[in-house]
Amino acid sequence: MAQSSFTRTLFFYYLHVISYDFIFGYAIFPAYFQLKGVSPEVIGALLAFWAGCIILFEIPAGLLGDMIDRRRLLVLSPLVKGACFVIWIFADGHVSLYFLGIAFWSLASALRSGTKEALLYEHVAVHAQEARYTAILGKERAFQDGATLAGAALGGLIASQNLELAFWASLAPLGICALAACFLTDMRVTPRQSAHVSLKQAPALLRSTWGEYFAKADVRHVTLYVAICVTFLSTLEDFNQLFLLAIKMPVWSIGITMALMGLARLALGYHAGKFEHFAALNWLAPMICGGALLVSGFLAPVFALCALAIAYILVAPLMVLTMSRFQKALDGANRATTTSVMSALIEGLSVVYNIAIALLFSHLTVLKTYQVAGAYLLLVAIWELTRKRPAVPLVNVA
């Protein structure tokens, strides 16, 4: 009976994850703004505003996830994201409405980031399925990436007929996402878990979160590792199309190349759980990525492409394994808040990395900038390899 309940929960959880990112509007975002007459400078400001809002909303949203029924937030999140698209449809070139829509999307992301991870892990813990947790995260990541790729591919066809139709059509999967969340359960309402906390306990939750970072070396280290390694790799990939142009790839081949690399990363992320026992991956992955990018500028185009693909694909298991380790290191009633603190840090550093990479582009070529990124990743690998080991394994084995 317990296994059946857990299988049912996973089904609706995966459905929620897939439908949240099966968005046809991704195919034209943010090109949609430019096609509506918004200047590139304002588009850059919109994207910066997006990240800034996520940082602003993350921790308050995490507190909400620890104080009220998490299912309610997971139902609300896709509806708020849908509101963003509706605002953009009727914005008709009014920049202020594009900013308002971005704020709604940022809020939607913040409402589910820490809440979703907390709800899943508590289901895993209550049903004694910790041994499967990393594999579950791997599948979740693969489903999310697959949904994003499929939505963008189909969205391109829809947008070629009508730009707004791509956003209208995106409301359907978001409705399914909200409906799927209705069938999830916040385990804290059961006798086996503590009840929700009140608003008056918000300061105590923040103190508890702060204390958890100070008391647990593994939480601190995973957060730092994600910040300086995983987030950097994730930010760098936003510029991969510029790299492909720099190695003289035809424009028509860029989309195909990115899709093929995306499928390869999807497959590796799906099987990330198989690497859970391989602790050396924490330093080996940035070393391989860094070495590949460092030499990429000296290679023929086909080999430079392979070097880029290595760095793009290897980040998949790192994303899964670090989140698994982070969640396993937490306890107490502030799981959503602590996860949101980590998410806010990731978003903040992503902005910093974007600015740093843009500054490098202003002084160096694209290929040389990627070589500098490779050297940075080698330093991260050396730091991870030589750091003093904690008492627990680098990657937990359930």
Side-chain angles (χ1 to χ4, degrees):
M1 188 68 172
Q3 181 60 38
S4 174
S5 173
F6 187 64
T7 301
R8 173 183 171 276
T9 295
L10 281 185
F11 171 80
F12 286 109
Y13 181 82
Y14 288 146
L15 181 59
H16 176 84
V17 168
I18 292 169
S19 53
Y20 187 84
D21 280 305
F22 186 59
I23 301 300
F24 308 112
Y26 286 171
I28 56 171
F29 167 77
Y32 178 77
F33 300 136
Q34 185 167 345
L35 294 171
K36 291 296 182 180
V38 180
S39 68
E41 294 80 7
V42 175
I43 293 173
L46 278 165
L47 296 178
F49 181 72
W50 186 16
C53 285
I54 291 178
I55 296 169
L56 179 66
F57 293 145
E58 270 292 350
I59 295 177
L63 284 168
L64 276 178
D66 283 327
M67 291 189 293
I68 68 175
D69 190 338
R70 288 174 178 153
R71 176 176 54 183
R72 295 178 184 175
L73 298 184
L74 295 181
V75 171
L76 180 62
S77 174
L79 300 180
V80 174
K81 186 175 181 179
C84 163
F85 295 155
V86 173
I87 290 171
W88 285 352
I89 289 168
F90 292 105
D92 194 27
H94 289 85
V95 174
S96 59
L97 292 180
Y98 294 136
F99 275 97
L100 178 62
I102 283 283
F104 271 80
W105 193 345
S106 300
L107 177 59
S109 298
L111 286 174
R112 76 189 290 268
S113 58
T115 300
K116 175 173 66 70
E117 302 296 343
L119 183 140
L120 174 64
Y121 189 80
E122 284 161 0
H123 270 278
V124 167
V126 167
H127 290 93
Q129 297 290 325
E130 288 90 345
R132 296 176 56 192
Y133 180 61
T134 304
I136 290 169
L137 284 185
K139 291 180 181 179
E140 175 191 343
R141 183 74 198 184
F143 290 151
Q144 177 185 338
D145 287 345
T148 301
L149 288 171
L154 293 173
L157 299 175
I158 297 173
S160 66
Q161 303 301 313
N162 183 278
L163 291 175
E164 284 77 12
L165 183 59
F167 289 123
W168 279 123
S170 298
L171 300 181
L174 289 173
I176 294 173
C177 181
L179 184 62
C182 293
F183 293 92
L184 298 175
T185 305
D186 187 337
M187 298 308 294
R188 295 172 304 162
V189 304
T190 69
R192 289 174 289 185
Q193 296 272 335
S194 61
H196 304 308
V197 297
S198 67
L199 184 61
K200 293 180 180 179
Q201 292 177 277
L205 275 175
L206 287 173
R207 289 194 298 270
S208 177
T209 298
W210 188 254
E212 196 153 27
Y213 272 97
F214 270 99
K216 297 182 177 178
D218 206 37
V219 172
R220 292 197 306 273
H221 175 69
V222 174
T223 302
L224 182 59
Y225 182 85
V226 169
I228 67 175
C229 181
V230 181
T231 302
F232 179 78
L233 278 167
S234 300
T235 304
L236 185 65
E237 69 189 42
D238 292 338
F239 301 90
N240 283 352
Q241 292 185 15
L242 300 182
F243 183 97
L244 297 179
L245 289 174
I247 61 174
K248 310 300 183 184
M249 287 195 65
V251 174
W252 63 264
S253 68
I254 291 177
I256 297 173
T257 301
M258 296 301 297
L260 290 174
M261 291 197 302
L263 289 173
R265 187 162 85 167
L266 184 155
L268 189 59
Y270 185 89
H271 295 289
K274 296 181 179 179
F275 297 94
E276 192 171 12
H277 65 285
F278 188 44
L281 188 67
N282 289 287
W283 61 265
L284 189 59
M287 182 168 287
I288 293 173
C289 293
L293 294 179
L294 188 61
V295 302
S296 64
F298 304 113
L299 302 175
V302 64
F303 295 111
L305 174 59
C306 291
L308 178 71
I310 288 171
Y312 179 79
I313 294 168
L314 270 182
V315 74
L318 290 182
M319 289 176 173
V320 173
L321 295 172
T322 49
M323 181 52 69
S324 173
R325 178 179 160 191
F326 185 79
Q327 291 295 331
K328 288 180 178 180
L330 301 179
D331 55 32
N334 57 323
R335 182 177 300 276
T337 306
T338 309
T339 305
S340 290
V341 168
M342 186 179 188
S343 297
L345 177 63
I346 290 171
E347 291 295 335
L349 278 175
S350 180
V351 174
V352 172
Y353 289 140
N354 270 299
I355 294 172
I357 293 170
L359 288 174
L360 286 174
F361 280 153
S362 67
H363 293 87
L364 303 173
T365 66
V366 171
L367 294 182
K368 288 188 180 298
T369 297
Y370 270 74
Q371 288 181 301
V372 172
Y376 168 81
L377 288 169
L378 286 177
L379 292 176
V380 172
I382 293 170
W383 165 74
E384 175 64 24
L385 179 62
T386 59
R387 77 180 185 88
K388 184 178 179 181
R389 293 295 185 268
V392 296
L394 281 179
V395 180
N396 294 329
V397 179

